[in-house]
Amino acid sequence: MITIWDENVELKIDDRFQVIRSAREAVAFLMKSWPDTKSASYATARKACLDAAKGIVPGAQARAAFEAAAKEAGILRQR
């Protein structure tokens, strides 16, 4: 079951914007498009998003972990 997050996570990489709407989208982004530098928060977000995609943890927990990792990587779009 794909659960859409209550609030999207918006990323900015170079001059492009990307919107992440669910744990599955986050996992895909983490695996294919994440910047080269991968920190502990990246690993935490990856695990949380994988677990949320499997229904093991709440989507809100995965979203928070993904957002924290994106902020640390400098790709979280600041409003």
Side-chain angles (χ1 to χ4, degrees), residues 8-23:
N8 297 332
V9 176
E10 296 180 6
L11 308 176
K12 183 176 185 221
I13 301 172
D14 300 323
D15 290 330
R16 295 179 302 116
F17 293 97
Q18 175 126 12
V19 176
I20 306 297
R21 297 173 185 88
S22 69

Side-chain angles (χ1 to χ4, degrees), residues 53-79:
K54 295 176 188 173
I56 297 170
V57 301
Q61 181 178 335
R63 184 192 170 283
F66 183 78
E67 188 173 67
K71 185 174 184 177
E72 184 177 323
I75 62 172
L76 182 67
R77 181 177 180 204
Q78 303 295 322
R79 297 180 205 183

